Amino acid sequence: MLAGSLALPTDSSNTRTPVSTPAPTPQPESKQAKLSYAAVAAFASGGAGGDTVATVATTKSTNPFKDSTTNVPSPDPTSGLSKRTKILNSELIKYPFKTLNRILNDLKWTIPIRQKYNYSLLNSKPIDYSHHLSHVVNSNAFKCKLLELNENLEECPALETIKLDETAQTLYVLRGLVVDEMNPDYTCHFRILVLESDSNPFVTNIIDKHQYHIIPSTLLSPNDRQILSRSDNSDQTLIDDAFFKSLNSPNNQILRVTLFNREFTKEDLNPLLDSKIIRQRYMKGIEKHPNLSPEVTPSAKHCIKTLTKVLRGPILLKPRDPIKTISLKNTVMDAQIDVNLLLTRLSFTLDEDKQDVIPPNLTLLPGLKESYIRKVSELLYLQTKIKPRNDESATPNSFNDSLKLVFSTITEYDKATSIQNFNNTHANRLPYLVNLSISPSFSDELIIKCFENTVVSDLVNRLHYVDSLRETRDYKFNTGPGSPKKLDAYLDNMASQGELIGFRDYLESMKIIGLSIQNQDEIDQIDDDVIVAMYRTQFKNDPKNYPYYNKHLQLIARAKQSRALMGFIGSEIIPMSIALDELNIEEITEDDVVITAYEFKLDEILQINGFNGNSDDVVFLNKALVSVAVQRKSYILLSYLEAKLPGYVKLLEMDDITTAKAYDLLDSTFQMSDFEILTNFQNKFVHSDTDIRTLRYCMTLIADSRNSDIIFSFLKTGKIDSSLLPAENWPAGLDNIGNTCYLNSLLQYYFCIKPLRELILSYNEADFTIDEFSQTRKIGGRKVEISELKRSRQFVYHLRYLFEEMIKTNSRCVQPSKDLAYLSFLPLSNPVNFRKENEVEVVMREVSDEEGGTETENTDMIVDLESKEGDELETPTSEEMGALEDKGNTDVIEQSTELAMEVELEREIVSENKPGPELLPISTDQMESTIEVGRQQDVTECIENVIFQIETVLPPHEVDKDGEQYDIIKKLFYGKTKQTITSLEKPDEKPRVSLERFFSLIINVSDHPKSIYDALDYYFNEDVVKLDEGLFKRSITINELPDILQFHVQRVMFDREKLMAYKSIEPIPFSDTIYLDRYLDTQDPEILQKREEVFKWKREINELMETKKDILHIDQDTSMSIIDTLTTTKKYLESRIIQDDKLSVELTTIQVLQQEIYNLKEKLVDIDSKLDKLHSQVSSQFESYRSIGYSIFAIFIHRGEASYGHYWVYIKDPHNNNIFRKYNDEIVTEVPASEVFNFIEGNTATPYYIVYVKDELENEYVEPLKRDIKVQN
């Protein structure tokens, strides 16, 4: 089998086995093309190759006991320089490294490895075969040796030196045998060709250890390849063949190591060894040569010597000498050896007369000559194995197995040690020594050098090499005279730099994060995403040990040299719970308080550690602040970090981000406005996986390039400073005129509904006749009185004037009239007193005198201002004035008169500035109660008031059979539910069906819904009810959907212990889109079946929750759960047994308690597992039903408690990249979606009303920005 045919088997064991043709593996980071293992198959065939550029290579060393660099100089210019092999050191180092000791050991054990595993040792990386080699050597089935001939015979030179003057090179040829003492028939030949450039003869070039690298023959120069191939055989005797180049040789040394098969077969040697055949041949020879004595038969040893002499002649033939034939007639050769062997196997021929044997001309056949030399060597060794007869002398030639000739020719500093210890089997028995190409006798420095060279040439397996180095250290410690101090120091140095990571460490770290791996193949198949996911799961389940898991993730990242994992660790933030604990804050702590807490603790730490800002405690505190900032996505905290701790928010990828790339990352262009870029930023902020720190860095670059105050301001607060915007680009805010924040939110919401806004703006009572209003019509199930029409019209007119001002004002905000607020707040059942058109109400209040005193007179006076057109305003009569003067109220009279005139003037101005329907003033005494009414008003009642009054002024499009009016308000906001009650005892009985109109759907927080879908599942449920007639199944579905779907979140609860109302702040997660297909009334069997399954799962969930509640129930008397009670009891009994051995407590009692505690905890785990599975099934049951979709429109927020608080509303603008604006009274700001979809536990700013609009109507119905500013003259 040719050395190039190196097909290798696959091994399923845990030992590392070559899985392809062994050959060099370049470093993974190299930009050069990798050389496959199959390339080594070309060694024997000697493919074409070209020269490469010579250079001086410098290799970095971490060996603290050696110089950190090894310089390899280029050779001096000579006449043959251009013909020599030149390989860049940076290229050569990529090929597998071996020491001379390792190469010779590989040579020794090649045959057993080939027989058992069928691959080449010489051409393989040691780590690929170390376990196989160990197995073979430890099996004791082989006892292989390399032998050198002690005498340098002319016909069989163990060392031959050839000077190559043309290229100023020297070729050394070293020959020997490979034998197995356990198998006498096992004999092979090795040859080592050493090609060197000639050096200064007066300079000794001895190096500590050659750094050999396996190379393909194609890297050799044509000249060197020809030199090393000039004596190759053309036959198939090659077993293995490999080329090595020394990286640190000053003489550009190249080795070719070849293993040849035995020259003689058993059949060839049998005629020389079999005494019977020898006797027969000898007797036959006596017939030709009568002078031979029949009593003296040649021995096997004599026959072998004769053959050796025959072969000696052709070997020693000089190029111009005549060939000497051997006469069969005049010699007795044919009586001592088989002539047929010469003719058939050794290329001898007969002359024409067949009397003379003619040897081949070996001067013309260098390959055959090399074969003859091997034959002689083999015959010489064979003689040593034959016991001489009494009449024979001992064999003069002998062999040694220390390879002193090889080690003396290839000079290294440790030559003597290598010769002495070459046959130490540990070098082959112990895989970790094999992996590093070291021998037990190597010094610490040499071991370190071998480790470094091995790692550099095979970075892929560096973890295994670290393990091998550790094991080598332990081996040296256990077998040496003392601790290997230099090796220990080196390992400590590696550990301090975070480089001492072995494969076992890697496996252990993977196991710690939850990945149990058995071998290299499995671990290589695990993606970084899986590792990160498992790591997150581990510390999520055990957050207190986050630093422990993080340490092992860092080890894994360094072990894999994974840029992805390194990047994750660099950008990762510590868990929020750990960060909160470190900062001594809570999740709901405001950002400015977080900064205060951070600075306080930082000062405390610095005081303790002597103001060391780089201490671990300070670093961890800083990372905790980063964690809170990033996880909250807090603009305030991030802005603080960017100013105070820029290094902690700077990520590696930021170095590669230019302004142009920043635009690309934000899906923006230079031509976009600041607002468009901010919108893209917010979309990325919510929906992108890109780190918020990177996004902010991009925005900062863009802001710098644009010098944009708007973007800079936004990055500080997360809000657009509306003062920087033109009024026409921003909605108008509404002044809070006194406890009207929730009314302002409601008015903004209705303003943004385009059909409703247009209805209000165009409303005029003159467009309708009284006949269009049915006397029996109902709104909300209540009959509408004609008297209510006047109030409602006034409300709509005030709302109309407000909407007009919101559209046309050039101010940032407008002020709703108190009339509008009063009509919104006042219950529908309360009458409204509108003053007559020609009355002025004068109200006397507190009046301050010049001295600062106060007089109070609460007397109302109505002054009749009825006059004809053009008349002036009348004032009180002198009698009336005198009456007041008598009471000492002159100042009050004057003040009141002025007030009356101001009120009337205001009415005139309003009438002048607001053409259209006339506004009727409300009496002042009622107006004064507006704020108090608002304070007492329920939000839901206010909404009902507003909607009722709008609907009241509208004539019905139609009237239902129950008298309920249907109009645009019903179309926009109202839907219908269908309740079906079916008898379980009388299935044939017709179901009872009832329809009910709804304005909003209730989400009851007391049900603890996990989402809006979960809440709707509670609402549109199916249950069994007991009526007088028996058991019935009740189901509720949606019969009719509104265009705008409103959810009312019921958060006010009643504490029966404290006897007071309180607000639940439990989060209700909602998404930007919901689908209602599952709740619609339908007869689709598939949907009905899926509903039934959901109902079944919900019942199971309720049962499990009840069981869990029972287990965790806190007893009022003990304030403990059953588990706590059992645990306390168990601890008590255990302590009493220890303290009082007289106490009669059975051990089984404690065991029973422990088992019960275990059972209850396991039951809780099982319940949680089942609940997770059921919730997952419920949430995914209708995943594919997405025909009836609604998009998020508005979210009303309340912050505070049940009895007080503040309201604002978020509204999405579908015409402006779906941005969200926060309408907070007079301030309207843009906010990130993350603020809207904020479901953090403990957040007191909770949704009160959640509004969705049909997907297909969103762009048509929702128009938040409507401005038509008046041009001021």
Side-chain angles (χ1 to χ4, degrees):
M1 183 175 185
L2 282 176
S5 304
L6 302 178
L8 303 177
T10 303
D11 188 359
S12 59
S13 68
N14 288 338
T15 58
R16 293 184 50 81
T17 307
V19 293
S20 60
T21 304
T25 303
Q27 300 175 24
E29 291 77 13
S30 172
K31 296 182 180 179
Q32 303 291 333
K34 291 186 177 181
L35 180 67
S36 67
Y37 282 123
V40 180
F43 274 27
S45 58
D51 290 350
T52 55
V53 180
T55 187
V56 176
T58 302
T59 58
K60 183 70 177 177
S61 171
T62 57
N63 184 349
F65 308 105
K66 284 288 186 180
D67 187 77
S68 61
T69 59
T70 300
N71 291 325
V72 183
S74 301
D76 295 330
T78 66
S79 59
L81 180 60
S82 61
K83 297 183 179 182
R84 297 175 189 171
T85 297
K86 305 156 197 170
I87 305 174
L88 288 170
N89 285 354
S90 58
E91 184 70 20
L92 181 61
I93 204 169
K94 299 174 186 177
Y95 294 92
F97 160 78
K98 290 186 180 183
T99 59
L100 177 62
N101 305 65
R102 180 72 261 146
I103 293 171
L104 295 175
N105 275 299
D106 288 348
L107 193 58
K108 182 194 299 186
W109 292 99
T110 286
I111 297 300
I113 291 295
R114 269 204 177 274
Q115 289 177 355
K116 190 170 180 62
Y117 300 107
N118 193 30
Y119 62 82
S120 165
L121 280 185
L122 290 171
N123 288 300
S124 298
K125 287 183 297 200
I127 196 169
D128 286 340
Y129 58 76
S130 57
H131 285 280
H132 285 168
L133 179 59
S134 174
H135 176 74
V136 169
V137 176
N138 289 322
S139 69
N140 294 321
F142 303 90
K143 192 175 181 181
C144 298
K145 287 188 175 183
L146 295 183
L147 300 178
E148 293 176 334
L149 190 61
N150 287 323
E151 297 79 14
N152 200 31
L153 302 178
E154 192 176 6
E155 68 273 19
C156 184
L159 171 63
E160 187 176 357
T161 303
I162 304 172
K163 300 295 290 182
L164 305 169
D165 295 333
E166 181 183 353
T167 57
Q169 291 173 292
T170 301
L171 177 67
Y172 301 94
V173 183
L174 293 159
R175 301 182 180 90
L177 294 173
V178 185
V179 299
D180 179 11
E181 294 185 350
M182 305 290 288
N183 182 5
D185 294 330
Y186 175 111
T187 304
C188 297
H189 302 264
F190 74 82
R191 185 190 65 193
I192 301 174
L193 302 180
V194 185
L195 180 62
E196 292 183 343
S197 302
D198 291 343
S199 59
N200 188 333
F202 301 103
V203 177
T204 303
N205 292 313
I206 299 179
I207 59 176
D208 53 354
K209 207 71 180 171
H210 278 287
Q211 182 180 335
Y212 289 114
H213 293 271
I214 309 170
I215 61 171
S217 62
T218 52
L219 290 185
L220 299 174
S221 68
N223 177 75
D224 289 351
R225 188 163 57 249
Q226 182 180 3
I227 293 171
L228 294 171
S229 304
R230 61 173 56 179
S231 58
D232 280 352
N233 272 359
S234 59
D235 57 22
Q236 304 298 311
T237 59
L238 279 166
I239 296 176
D240 207 351
D241 195 18
F243 292 84
F244 302 88
K245 189 175 189 306
S246 173
L247 184 141
N248 57 340
S249 168
N251 298 330
N252 198 32
Q253 187 188 93
I254 300 171
L255 301 185
R256 180 180 183 183
V257 181
T258 310
L259 186 65
F260 298 94
N261 211 335
R262 61 188 301 172
E263 291 292 328
F264 295 105
T265 65
K266 191 174 182 179
E267 291 74 16
D268 293 339
L269 296 176
N270 199 40
L272 297 174
L273 302 175
D274 189 306
S275 58
K276 186 177 180 180
I277 297 176
I278 293 175
R279 177 66 179 174
Q280 291 176 349
R281 182 175 60 242
Y282 184 72
M283 295 306 294
K284 187 177 180 181
I286 291 176
E287 296 176 3
K288 292 184 179 181
H289 311 286
N291 58 330
L292 293 175
S293 170
E295 282 79 18
V296 185
T297 305
S299 66
K301 200 168 188 178
H302 186 80
C303 294
I304 292 172
K305 285 184 177 180
T306 301
L307 181 57
T308 302
K309 292 178 180 179
V310 170
L311 298 178
R312 185 175 186 274
I315 293 172
L316 300 179
L317 182 69
K318 303 300 182 187
R320 286 183 290 275
D321 288 352
I323 297 176
K324 298 178 180 180
T325 63
I326 304 172
S327 172
L328 295 177
K329 181 178 180 181
N330 298 327
T331 67
V332 296
M333 181 184 68
D334 56 346
Q336 297 180 354
I337 63 173
D338 185 1
V339 177
N340 193 49
L341 174 65
L342 299 177
L343 300 175
T344 59
R345 296 281 288 120
L346 302 179
S347 302
F348 280 70
T349 58
L350 291 173
D351 65 358
E352 293 181 358
D353 298 331
K354 297 185 179 182
Q355 294 298 315
D356 294 335
V357 176
I358 305 172
N361 187 353
L362 298 186
T363 61
L364 303 177
L365 301 168
L368 186 57
K369 180 177 181 179
E370 192 68 26
S371 174
Y372 269 49
I373 294 173
R374 291 196 295 272
K375 287 178 172 62
V376 171
S377 177
E378 197 170 322
L379 294 173
L380 292 175
Y381 175 70
L382 190 57
Q383 292 183 57
T384 66
K385 309 306 291 184
I386 299 174
K387 185 177 181 180
R389 292 191 315 202
N390 293 332
D391 59 343
E392 292 180 324
S393 61
T395 304
N397 306 116
S398 62
F399 293 82
N400 76 81
D401 60 1
S402 62
L403 297 190
K404 59 183 179 182
L405 189 59
V406 174
F407 286 115
S408 298
T409 304
I410 305 175
T411 308
E412 293 179 328
Y413 184 78
D414 65 339
K415 175 184 73 173
T417 305
S418 293
I419 293 171
Q420 182 180 353
N421 295 278
F422 176 67
N423 287 304
N424 186 324
T425 59
H426 288 181
N428 301 299
R429 290 180 182 274
L430 303 176
Y432 49 87
L433 298 181
V434 176
N435 290 342
L436 301 178
S437 294
I438 61 180
S439 292
S441 60
F442 281 10
S443 65
D444 285 1
E445 295 95 331
L446 195 50
I447 290 172
I448 292 169
K449 183 174 182 180
C450 288
F451 166 75
E452 291 178 348
N453 292 338
T454 305
V455 170
V456 171
S457 69
D458 185 21
L459 284 173
V460 173
N461 289 307
R462 70 191 182 286
L463 304 182
H464 296 283
Y465 297 134
V466 171
D467 285 339
S468 296
L469 185 62
R470 281 173 167 160
E471 290 179 286
T472 299
R473 181 267 167 205
D474 293 340
Y475 170 82
K476 294 280 285 186
F477 178 79
N478 294 326
T479 59
S483 176
K485 294 181 180 180
K486 294 182 179 179
L487 195 52
D488 284 341
Y490 181 77
L491 290 170
D492 290 342
N493 187 35
M494 284 185 66
S496 67
Q497 297 178 24
E499 297 175 359
L500 192 64
I501 301 172
F503 190 72
R504 294 191 189 92
D505 301 322
Y506 184 23
L507 289 179
E508 181 63 22
S509 293
M510 293 288 269
K511 182 179 179 181
I512 286 170
I513 69 166
L515 292 166
S516 295
I517 310 300
Q518 299 302 320
N519 57 54
Q520 179 89 32
D521 294 336
E522 288 182 27
I523 207 167
D524 289 343
Q525 295 172 5
I526 298 176
D527 292 334
D528 289 342
D529 292 340
V530 174
I531 293 173
V532 170
M534 293 299 297
Y535 158 74
R536 283 174 166 162
T537 300
Q538 288 297 94
F539 77 70
K540 182 179 180 181
N541 294 334
D542 187 13
K544 291 183 179 180
N545 283 318
Y546 164 79
Y548 175 70
Y549 295 119
N550 184 262
K551 171 187 173 184
H552 285 282
L553 180 66
Q554 292 186 47
L555 187 147
I556 292 170
R558 291 195 298 269
K560 286 173 64 72
Q561 290 194 336
S562 166
R563 288 182 61 86
L565 289 180
M566 292 291 191
F568 169 80
I569 292 169
S571 62
E572 186 207 19
I573 52 175
I574 65 177
M576 179 67 93
S577 58
I578 298 175
L580 296 176
D581 289 343
E582 176 65 15
L583 291 165
N584 296 323
I585 59 174
E586 298 179 356
E587 197 162 357
I588 59 174
T589 304
E590 298 290 342
D591 289 345
D592 54 346
V593 180
V594 172
I595 293 174
T596 301
Y598 162 76
E599 291 179 341
F600 179 82
K601 186 162 186 180
L602 176 63
D603 183 65
E604 188 178 69
I605 294 174
L606 292 174
Q607 292 283 351
I608 294 173
N609 69 16
F611 295 92
N612 178 9
N614 296 319
S615 70
D616 291 341
D617 290 339
V618 172
V619 170
F620 190 69
L621 180 67
N622 293 341
K623 292 190 73 174
L625 182 61
V626 173
S627 170
V628 175
V630 173
Q631 294 190 68
R632 284 188 178 184
K633 295 186 174 180
S634 165
Y635 288 83
I636 293 175
L637 294 179
L638 287 168
S639 181
Y640 177 86
L641 285 166
E642 288 162 355
K644 301 288 186 178
L645 299 168
Y648 282 84
V649 288
K650 188 178 189 306
L651 305 178
L652 291 176
E653 61 259 29
M654 292 179 183
D655 293 334
D656 300 325
I657 299 177
T658 60
T659 302
K661 190 171 182 180
Y663 276 102
D664 291 340
L665 288 173
L666 295 176
D667 297 331
S668 303
T669 63
F670 294 95
Q671 293 75 29
M672 284 184 175
S673 67
D674 289 352
F675 312 108
E676 290 174 312
I677 294 171
L678 285 172
T679 299
N680 288 354
F681 169 78
Q682 289 175 295
N683 288 336
K684 287 277 188 179
F685 189 93
V686 176
H687 302 295
S688 172
D689 293 333
T690 306
D691 194 296
I692 180 60
R693 291 166 286 183
T694 301
L695 294 177
R696 286 179 60 86
Y697 181 73
C698 292
M699 286 298 291
T700 302
L701 289 178
I702 293 173
D704 281 333
S705 68
R706 289 170 171 253
N707 195 23
S708 169
D709 292 335
I710 290 176
I711 296 179
F712 280 127
S713 173
F714 179 85
L715 288 173
K716 289 180 181 178
T717 64
K719 302 172 183 177
I720 292 179
D721 186 351
S722 56
S723 65
L724 300 173
L725 301 175
E728 64 268 16
N729 290 346
W730 211 245
L734 296 177
D735 278 336
N736 189 330
I737 59 175
N739 203 43
T740 59
C741 54
Y742 64 82
L743 175 61
N744 286 347
S745 298
L746 186 66
L747 295 177
Q748 291 281 18
Y749 163 57
Y750 287 144
F751 177 84
C752 294
I753 302 173
K754 185 178 179 180
L756 180 59
R757 184 180 67 225
E758 291 178 347
L759 169 70
I760 299 299
L761 290 171
S762 63
Y763 178 77
N764 193 325
E765 63 184 281
D767 295 338
F768 308 103
T769 65
I770 195 65
D771 296 334
E772 295 181 66
F773 296 92
S774 170
Q775 299 294 320
T776 61
R777 68 178 178 140
K778 295 179 181 178
I779 295 176
R782 186 172 71 82
K783 184 179 177 181
V784 182
E785 301 295 337
I786 293 297
S787 60
E788 293 176 308
L789 189 58
K790 180 179 181 181
R791 164 186 170 163
S792 299
R793 283 172 175 166
Q794 286 300 303
F795 170 80
V796 172
Y797 288 152
H798 280 289
L799 186 59
R800 169 180 167 177
Y801 289 139
L802 176 67
F803 282 1
E804 287 176 346
E805 193 169 2
M806 290 170 69
I807 293 171
K808 297 178 181 180
T809 184
N810 198 26
S811 302
R812 292 290 170 188
C813 61
V814 299
Q815 186 178 91
S817 67
K818 287 189 175 182
D819 303 73
L820 177 62
Y822 180 75
L823 292 173
S824 300
F825 293 147
L826 190 68
L828 298 172
S829 57
N830 292 13
V832 180
N833 295 324
F834 293 102
R835 287 190 289 108
K836 294 180 181 179
E837 297 180 2
N838 294 314
E839 287 182 348
V840 173
E841 184 175 28
V842 180
V843 181
M844 287 164 283
R845 302 187 183 91
E846 294 181 352
V847 180
S848 300
D849 59 20
E850 294 180 359
E851 285 75 25
T854 301
E855 297 179 354
T856 304
E857 182 66 38
N858 293 323
T859 302
D860 294 345
M861 178 177 68
I862 304 298
V863 182
D864 187 0
L865 297 178
E866 185 174 356
S867 61
K868 296 180 182 179
E869 186 176 353
D871 291 347
E872 295 183 359
L873 178 67
E874 293 186 10
T875 60
T877 64
S878 59
E879 291 78 4
E880 293 169 333
M881 293 294 291
L884 290 172
E885 287 172 359
D886 290 340
K887 296 180 180 181
N889 291 324
T890 305
D891 293 339
V892 174
I893 292 171
E894 293 175 357
Q895 185 73 20
S896 301
T897 303
E898 293 173 3
L899 176 62
M901 296 177 68
E902 289 175 3
V903 169
E904 184 60 27
L905 182 60
E906 181 181 344
R907 298 297 184 193
E908 291 176 359
I909 292 173
V910 167
S911 177
E912 178 183 348
N913 292 343
K914 296 183 178 179
E918 183 179 5
L919 298 177
L920 298 178
I922 301 172
S923 62
T924 306
D925 58 340
Q926 286 186 300
M927 286 293 296
E928 287 302 309
S929 65
T930 300
I931 295 176
E932 186 60 34
V933 170
R935 198 174 279 126
Q936 299 172 357
Q937 179 70 52
D938 178 76
V939 177
T940 306
E941 191 176 354
C942 176
I943 295 173
E944 291 175 354
N945 286 348
V946 171
I947 286 296
F948 178 85
Q949 292 179 95
I950 295 175
E951 202 169 358
T952 296
V953 304
L954 301 175
H957 295 170
E958 59 183 63
V959 177
D960 290 349
K961 59 183 180 180
D962 60 355
E964 184 70 24
Q965 170 174 316
Y966 183 81
D967 47 45
I968 188 173
I969 299 299
K970 291 288 194 307
K971 181 178 185 299
L972 288 174
F973 300 109
Y974 284 83
K976 287 183 181 179
T977 60
K978 177 181 178 181
Q979 178 177 262
T980 305
I981 298 178
T982 307
S983 175
L984 295 177
E985 299 172 355
K986 301 175 183 179
D988 295 334
E989 186 177 287
K990 185 177 180 181
R992 307 175 193 179
V993 177
S994 62
L995 299 178
E996 183 177 345
R997 188 174 285 105
F998 67 86
F999 178 68
S1000 61
L1001 295 176
I1002 303 298
I1003 296 177
N1004 198 333
V1005 177
S1006 62
D1007 293 329
H1008 308 293
K1010 296 184 177 297
S1011 65
I1012 280 190
Y1013 285 121
D1014 202 21
L1016 290 174
D1017 288 343
Y1018 283 110
Y1019 195 95
F1020 298 103
N1021 202 348
E1022 183 180 275
D1023 56 1
V1024 176
V1025 295
K1026 186 176 182 180
L1027 302 178
D1028 294 339
E1029 299 90 337
L1031 293 177
F1032 289 81
K1033 181 178 75 172
R1034 177 177 62 186
S1035 63
I1036 301 177
T1037 55
I1038 298 177
N1039 183 257
E1040 186 178 311
L1041 284 166
D1043 292 343
I1044 296 174
L1045 183 60
Q1046 303 175 126
F1047 293 95
H1048 178 197
V1049 184
Q1050 180 55 261
R1051 292 188 175 276
V1052 179
M1053 311 293 178
F1054 188 77
D1055 190 327
R1056 297 186 182 277
E1057 293 183 3
K1058 298 180 180 180
L1059 299 178
M1060 62 180 292
Y1062 70 94
K1063 172 190 170 184
S1064 169
I1065 59 173
E1066 183 175 334
I1068 308 294
F1070 56 90
S1071 59
D1072 55 357
T1073 305
I1074 61 170
Y1075 299 94
L1076 300 182
D1077 309 53
R1078 68 190 75 178
Y1079 305 113
L1080 296 182
D1081 185 45
T1082 180
Q1083 297 304 315
D1084 186 329
E1086 184 176 349
I1087 293 181
L1088 293 176
Q1089 180 186 350
K1090 285 182 173 289
R1091 278 184 190 164
E1092 186 61 38
E1093 290 174 347
V1094 170
F1095 296 150
K1096 173 177 172 292
W1097 294 334
K1098 286 283 186 178
R1099 288 192 291 271
E1100 292 179 24
I1101 289 173
N1102 290 335
E1103 291 171 1
L1104 290 169
M1105 291 298 293
E1106 284 300 318
T1107 304
K1108 183 177 181 179
K1109 183 178 178 182
D1110 291 341
I1111 296 174
L1112 298 177
H1113 173 71
I1114 304 298
D1115 184 77
Q1116 291 184 351
D1117 296 331
T1118 63
S1119 298
M1120 291 190 295
S1121 68
I1122 181 63
I1123 295 178
D1124 295 333
T1125 302
L1126 291 172
T1127 303
T1128 303
T1129 304
K1130 172 178 168 287
K1131 288 182 178 179
Y1132 173 77
L1133 293 176
E1134 288 173 337
S1135 66
R1136 298 307 300 171
I1137 289 175
I1138 295 172
Q1139 296 175 8
D1140 188 356
D1141 55 5
K1142 297 179 182 179
L1143 188 64
S1144 179
V1145 178
E1146 295 286 342
L1147 181 61
T1148 55
T1149 302
I1150 296 177
Q1151 292 173 339
V1152 169
L1153 288 173
Q1154 179 60 48
Q1155 185 61 44
E1156 188 60 27
I1157 294 169
Y1158 174 80
N1159 291 342
L1160 287 171
K1161 289 183 177 180
E1162 284 297 301
K1163 190 169 185 178
L1164 286 176
V1165 171
D1166 182 59
I1167 287 173
D1168 288 337
S1169 176
K1170 289 179 179 178
L1171 285 173
D1172 289 342
K1173 181 179 179 181
L1174 288 169
H1175 283 306
S1176 176
Q1177 289 174 325
V1178 170
S1179 64
S1180 62
Q1181 180 76 332
F1182 291 95
E1183 189 67 30
S1184 60
Y1185 290 83
R1186 299 193 170 203
S1187 300
I1188 311 300
Y1190 281 77
S1191 295
I1192 194 71
F1193 169 20
I1195 305 95
F1196 291 79
I1197 300 294
H1198 174 264
R1199 168 173 277 171
E1201 300 299 332
S1203 58
Y1204 65 88
H1206 179 62
Y1207 289 85
W1208 66 84
V1209 64
Y1210 296 113
I1211 297 176
K1212 187 176 78 170
D1213 189 346
H1215 303 285
N1216 193 7
N1217 295 314
N1218 291 319
I1219 66 169
F1220 282 93
R1221 296 188 184 92
K1222 179 180 180 179
Y1223 296 76
N1224 188 6
D1225 288 333
E1226 70 276 9
I1227 300 173
V1228 181
T1229 56
E1230 183 179 340
V1231 296
S1234 59
E1235 180 177 325
V1236 178
F1237 299 99
N1238 181 2
F1239 311 122
I1240 295 177
E1241 295 280 351
N1243 185 6
T1244 61
T1246 53
Y1248 180 84
Y1249 236 70
I1250 305 172
V1251 185
Y1252 288 83
V1253 61
K1254 281 185 177 178
D1255 285 345
E1256 64 270 20
L1257 297 174
E1258 182 180 22
N1259 289 324
E1260 179 184 347
Y1261 274 22
V1262 182
E1263 187 182 37
L1265 184 59
K1266 175 68 175 176
R1267 301 301 297 270
D1268 184 11
I1269 298 176
K1270 297 177 184 178
V1271 178
Q1272 301 293 332
N1273 296 325

